[in-house]
Amino acid sequence: MNTLFVTGGSGFIGSSFVRHALGAGKNVQVLTRSEKSAERVRASGAAPIRGNLLQPGAWQAAAAQAQIVVHLAQPETFGTRVTHQRALSFREERLRMDANLLDCLKPDVVQRVIYVGGTSYYGLQGDQLVDETAIPQPKGWGPYIAPAIEALDGYLARNLPISLAFPSWVYGPGSWFIEYTLEPLTKGKPIIKLPGAARTISFVHVEDVARAIVHLSDHGETGWRYFITDDQPRKRLEIGEIAAQVLGVRMKTLSLPMFLMRLAAGPVIADSMLTEARLSNARLKSTGFTLNFPTLEQGVPDAIERWRKMAAT
Ligand SMILES: NC(=O)c1ccc[n+]([C@@H]2O[C@H](COP(=O)([O-])OP(=O)(O)OC[C@H]3O[C@@H](n4cnc5c(N)ncnc54)[C@H](OP(=O)(O)O)[C@@H]3O)[C@@H](O)[C@H]2O)c1
């Protein structure tokens, strides 16, 4: 049976991805740095491979033998103030991680590589629906992931069968949706309203991201980019309003001027709040993929249910 080697399989998107890949009957190997994550991977039914993408090692032999490689790992982005200096080291680490993985893959063995980027690379696209051919205007983290995305052309030229997946703003039982939306709402605290709050962005449920990446690992075309996003771009604060309705609470907001946001979260996160992009999922759908949660109204109740179950265990 073909082997699927995944990096970042213990993360927010990755753990859903591994569950869906196993459900689709794939033989899954997950790269992880820690024994704690390795135990969780084993319990899920996948095989852990211990290793660090920042360092060449025995893990590269496992990656080199896989027919499918899914690259989700990224240096840490969450939880602290992000200065330009910190973002620059993120950029360097991401390039090193990518090189250690992609340099060891062999075009005569690997049949598909799914490289997961972020739509901050496309950044500020205005208020028209755009597809993957739009000219990137990186914003927030975007300028710091751009060199890694652009380096992929060199790997494609060396015949690595890479497809690129760009999930939009991913909500689910983890990450920013809990910290900045569900926790304030359930604790009666305000949701921070920033100057970009009236802008429209694209959202997607983490379960649909995971399913889409499994789907692309069978159907992705080499050299193509795919937005992974739901059907309805929405104003940034609407996700909070919908979550408040589901939770049966009133949403309070606290307007924060940009200079305070820059001070608190750093310029990179502050800039990411100024993005505006309505992303089309037409190309993804043309591969035969269907969303389980095409709108926030359909997805947010499910995400909250999953979060409650996680909190109860
Ligand atoms: N979350 C979002 O809203 C979002 C939106 C769009 C795109 N994306 C993209 O989707 C991908 C996954 O994001 P995520 O939020 O799911 O990530 P995450 O929860 O932050 O998880 C990061 C993963 O990377 C692994 N990792 C980090 N450094 C590593 C290293 N040096 N060697 C090996 N593994 C390492 C971690 O594994 P261990 O700690 O187990 O070693 C962990 O599984 C990223 O490329 C991100 O840019 C995310």
Side-chain angles (χ1 to χ4, degrees):
M1 197 206 284
N2 280 351
T3 298
L4 187 156
F5 180 93
V6 56
T7 73
S10 56
F12 171 50
I13 298 174
S15 41
S16 294
F17 167 77
V18 169
R19 183 164 32 82
H20 284 284
L22 290 168
K26 313 269 184 198
N27 175 28
V28 183
Q29 295 182 338
V30 179
L31 182 71
T32 177
R33 292 166 298 173
S34 71
E35 189 45 39
K36 203 170 156 205
S37 284
E39 272 169 30
R40 277 202 299 267
V41 167
R42 228 174 267 119
S44 75
I49 304 284
R50 290 289 299 279
N52 186 335
L53 282 163
L54 287 168
Q55 290 152 13
W59 64 268
Q60 288 172 309
Q65 282 163 30
Q67 286 73 36
I68 312 285
V69 173
V70 173
H71 186 28
L72 276 155
Q74 61 173 351
E76 210 160 285
T77 55
F78 204 64
T80 57
R81 185 169 187 273
V82 184
T83 58
H84 285 301
Q85 204 50 43
R86 182 153 184 269
L88 284 173
S89 52
F90 170 93
R91 183 183 76 179
E92 295 317 308
E93 282 190 8
R94 184 157 184 143
L95 284 166
R96 263 170 55 211
M97 288 162 69
D98 288 4
N100 281 335
L101 176 67
L102 300 175
D103 284 345
C104 75
L105 303 183
K106 299 184 180 69
D108 55 335
V109 177
V110 69
Q111 294 163 8
R112 237 180 221 106
V113 180
I114 307 297
Y115 183 99
V116 181
T119 42
S120 58
Y121 173 63
Y122 279 86
L124 200 52
Q125 293 291 334
D127 59 3
Q128 300 299 308
L129 194 69
V130 295
D131 67 15
E132 295 83 347
T133 61
I135 296 170
Q137 312 281 351
K139 201 85 186 137
W141 282 106
Y144 305 95
I145 64 170
I149 306 285
E150 282 149 19
L152 297 177
D153 285 343
Y155 290 101
L156 282 162
R158 282 161 46 190
N159 291 327
L160 278 189
I162 302 175
S163 306
L164 286 80
F166 290 90
S168 57
W169 284 69
V170 184
Y171 65 93
S175 195
W176 60 269
F177 185 54
I178 292 186
E179 187 170 347
Y180 299 124
T181 307
L182 298 185
E183 283 183 354
L185 285 174
T186 48
K187 290 178 181 162
K189 293 187 176 164
I191 288 185
I192 303 297
K193 185 175 176 187
L194 292 161
R199 295 188 180 184
T200 299
I201 55 174
S202 292
F203 292 97
V204 63
H205 192 305
V206 68
E207 289 289 300
D208 277 335
V209 177
R211 291 176 52 251
I213 298 172
V214 174
H215 177 85
L216 289 175
S217 76
D218 287 326
H219 301 284
E221 293 280 343
T222 295
W224 283 59
R225 296 174 174 188
Y226 298 91
F227 288 153
I228 304 180
T229 190
D230 74 11
D231 283 353
Q232 269 186 17
R234 304 292 281 265
K235 298 219 184 307
R236 197 178 291 275
L237 274 186
E238 280 184 88
I239 193 163
E241 288 160 6
I242 294 166
Q245 268 178 19
V246 175
L247 293 166
V249 299
R250 193 171 66 83
M251 183 174 91
K252 295 183 241 169
T253 57
L254 174 70
S255 292
L256 198 66
M258 211 39 166
F259 79 93
L260 273 183
M261 179 67 183
R262 283 178 171 271
L263 271 179
V268 176
I269 304 290
D271 270 6
S272 69
M273 299 299 158
L274 296 175
T275 54
E276 177 163 52
R278 295 165 182 255
L279 306 174
S280 163
N281 56 22
R283 181 179 284 177
L284 177 65
K285 285 186 171 175
S286 74
T287 65
F289 182 74
T290 51
L291 292 153
N292 282 349
F293 304 106
T295 65
L296 290 180
E297 279 76 5
Q298 286 154 295
V300 167
D302 177 87
I304 291 177
E305 184 60 27
R306 286 173 193 274
W307 173 61
R308 282 178 167 148
K309 279 191 187 143
M310 268 173 51
T313 55

